[in-house]
Amino acid sequence: MAFTALPPDTDADIARVTETLAMITPRWNVRILLALSGPPVRYRELAAKMPWLPQSQLHLKLKTLCDAGLVERTEHSPRHVTYGHTERGAALLPVLPLLVTWAEEHLEKPDGPLPAIDQIEDSLTLLTRRHAASILWVLKSRQDVSGRALARIVMPRRGGTTIYSPLGQLVADGLVDTEGNGRPYRLSAAGHGLGPTLGAVSAWSAGQPLDQGAHHPIWGHPQTKRAPRPWASSPPRPTPAARPQTRAADGSPAWHARDLFSHATPARPAAVAAGGPRR
């Protein structure tokens, strides 16, 4: 079932990423996953690592993580039960350092050093806002987008003004920028910086290695995409009769450092008229 007006494969990608983030975002889940790093442990050993968490909550959290397929409960005997990561759970853990790296660069700096676990939890809170993933996906793929256009894409079955509440929250969180009412929306530097994290989560949710996130069609690194080679089908160029001029008339080099590269810096897009682009 489609939730947005995006292509079905993109819609499914967003749904998988949203579900994955929802598995680990609830309070204490990440801390439990980190406490289970290493060999499987008995319940009392795990509880000793988290004395501040009531045992009733620990029981419930472990059951939830087991149901999600991230933690495995192994009953060796009626009185010997251990908990540990599943293969899928262990494969997801490398996403957490990516969140720390992003948080250190883009989140507001507190007065003192913030523990990595707090940075992870704060980052996950931002990413799991309602409709956040869909909005970020659209803005990443389409650059500047008006609020009305976003509403038609992200919430095709709802009123056009419903989009402004989650959109305003993303602006307040620093993931989205706009120049004011009636102006288009775009990802901020922090929003663009989520590429490695969201690409890795997308790869994990699709059952692929995390490093495949670098090749994500939307969040992947630009340098991983092969540049077109328009000269491949063109006839070979004739060999020049003389060496090209290496210096201009005033004695300065006739070439520039940018000429050494096959790609040019894209020009900044022209300003969009008030109200955003028409679609």
Side-chain angles (χ1 to χ4, degrees):
M1 176 181 177
F3 295 96
T4 71
L6 293 166
D9 55 342
T10 303
D11 194 69
D13 188 21
I14 295 172
R16 289 194 303 266
V17 169
T18 301
E19 182 180 3
T20 299
L21 294 174
M23 292 179 186
I24 60 176
T25 298
R27 195 178 188 189
W28 314 128
N29 281 15
V30 171
R31 296 174 188 255
I32 293 173
L33 289 173
L34 292 175
L36 287 173
S37 298
V41 297
R42 292 192 175 196
Y43 178 86
R44 65 172 179 269
E45 295 172 320
L46 178 60
K49 295 181 179 181
M50 314 179 74
W52 33 264
L53 183 61
Q55 292 202 14
S56 58
Q57 289 195 36
L58 180 56
H59 271 295
L60 181 60
K61 292 293 183 181
L62 283 172
K63 184 180 185 306
T64 301
L65 291 170
C66 286
D67 292 342
L70 302 179
V71 172
E72 183 177 25
R73 180 183 185 274
T74 304
E75 186 171 342
H76 304 275
S77 70
R79 299 180 62 85
H80 184 192
V81 176
T82 59
Y83 293 89
H85 294 140
T86 62
E87 184 177 349
R88 290 283 286 157
L92 183 59
L93 288 184
V95 168
L96 302 182
L98 297 178
L99 286 169
V100 174
T101 299
W102 178 83
E104 288 178 343
E105 183 174 355
H106 297 289
L107 288 188
E108 293 182 358
K109 302 296 188 294
D111 295 334
L114 194 65
I117 184 62
D118 291 337
Q119 293 178 326
I120 293 170
E121 291 177 337
D122 289 349
S123 302
L124 288 172
T125 298
L126 301 184
L127 292 177
T128 51
R129 306 276 197 203
R130 187 168 176 80
H131 301 296
S134 299
I135 293 173
L136 294 175
W137 245 256
V138 173
L139 292 179
K140 180 65 174 178
S141 61
R142 305 196 181 191
Q143 306 302 322
D144 292 9
V145 185
S146 69
R148 289 185 178 182
L150 271 170
R152 289 196 297 269
I153 299 169
V154 176
M155 303 176 176
R157 297 181 180 85
R158 300 189 181 186
T161 59
T162 311
I163 190 70
Y164 291 104
S165 177
L167 194 52
Q169 183 63 64
L170 290 175
V171 172
D173 291 339
L175 302 182
V176 174
D177 284 337
T178 183
E179 296 173 0
N181 292 336
R183 302 296 295 171
Y185 295 85
R186 66 185 66 88
L187 286 185
S188 65
H192 283 291
L194 288 168
T197 298
L198 293 179
V201 174
S202 173
W204 181 91
S205 67
Q208 301 174 350
L210 294 190
D211 58 9
Q212 290 301 305
H215 305 283
H216 192 277
I218 293 176
W219 296 102
H221 303 311
Q223 59 266 30
T224 63
K225 300 177 182 178
R226 182 173 298 177
R229 303 185 63 182
W231 60 84
S233 59
S234 303
R237 297 179 180 178
T239 304
R243 295 180 61 185
Q245 182 181 1
T246 58
R247 290 193 172 270
D250 60 358
S252 61
W255 54 269
H256 301 278
R258 62 176 178 270
D259 298 330
L260 299 177
F261 301 92
S262 61
H263 59 278
T265 303
R268 185 181 180 86
V272 181
R278 296 183 179 273
R279 295 188 180 276

